[in-house]
Structure formats: C-alpha cells, structure tokens
Amino acid sequence: QVQLVESGGGLVQAGGSLRLSCAASGRTFSNYNMGWFRQAPGKEREFVAAIWWSIGTTYYADSVKGRFTISRDNAKNTVYLQMNTLKAEDTAVYYCAAVTHTITPAQESAYAYWGQGTQVTVSS
C-alpha cells in the first residue's frame, strides 16, 4: 500500500508559478511510476504529466508542455510538478497517482494509488 499526499496548491495570478509536491509513504517509492492529473469544475479528470522510475522518462499533456516540469526525488519519496506561466484554464484540483508497472502514462484507470488532491486557482 502506498499513501500519497499532495501539497503546494493555492491562488496565483495568471503568469505566475507554483510548485506542487506529492509525498509518498508505504513501499519503495523509487519503484513507482508517478503521474499528475487534474480535474477542473464540471470536467473530467485529465492527464497532466508522468515520470517513470527506471530512467526518469517524462511525459506531458500538450496543454502543459513547455510550461510544466515533473521531477522526482527518490531520497525524499517525493514527486514535484513545477508549473510556470500559469493560465486561468489551469485552475483545477491536482492529483498525484502511482503505479508499479509500465502503462500508457495518460491511462488514468491504470494507476493504483491516488492522493486526495490539492486545489490550484489561477486568477486572470
């Protein structure tokens, strides 16, 4: 079992930056592939970014490419999402997720563990 706790959300003006953190506890964090998803009001949850444990390969949704960066610190059991040049449309609850095996990064249903989410609000 893995427990995931997100933090770092908040209110920021358009063009600003935030860094989200997801702290993991339970099993060996370094063996997990990690993803970030988000859900805006009235919309379905969508893939944002993912990072694979073995060689640190990263994946991004087209909507955040060039603005968001996912990274991980296995020593701290933490994955980060650096979000720059934020837009109003980035407003959502952001969730981190974990899975032990290789999957299609954006395949939400394949992730076994989820955090509770952290709210990000971007004012225009």
Side-chain angles (χ1 to χ4, degrees):
Q1 191 74 12
V2 172
Q3 292 79 43
L4 304 173
V5 179
E6 303 96 334
S7 62
L11 174 64
V12 63
Q13 289 189 334
S17 299
L18 280 175
R19 188 177 80 158
L20 306 183
S21 300
C22 174
S25 60
R27 293 190 173 177
T28 305
F29 174 75
S30 59
N31 291 340
Y32 283 80
N33 299 321
M34 303 296 297
W36 283 99
F37 289 76
R38 67 185 182 185
Q39 187 168 22
K43 295 187 177 181
E44 293 187 351
R45 192 154 55 185
E46 64 176 3
F47 171 75
V48 176
I51 184 165
W52 266 201
W53 73 271
S54 55
I55 55 175
T57 305
T58 57
Y59 306 88
Y60 296 96
D62 288 343
S63 59
V64 305
K65 235 174 243 185
R67 299 189 299 123
F68 290 11
T69 302
I70 188 171
S71 62
R72 66 190 296 159
D73 185 336
N74 289 337
K76 296 183 178 180
N77 289 354
T78 301
V79 62
Y80 303 99
L81 186 67
Q82 178 66 44
M83 306 186 295
N84 298 328
T85 319
L86 283 160
K87 306 175 182 179
E89 50 264 43
D90 295 318
T91 295
V93 177
Y94 283 71
Y95 300 88
C96 70
V99 62
T100 57
H101 54 281
T102 300
I103 61 170
T104 301
Q107 188 182 354
E108 179 183 343
S109 61
Y111 287 83
Y113 306 101
W114 291 84
Q116 293 300 306
T118 185
Q119 176 71 47
V120 171
T121 303
V122 184
S123 62
S124 56

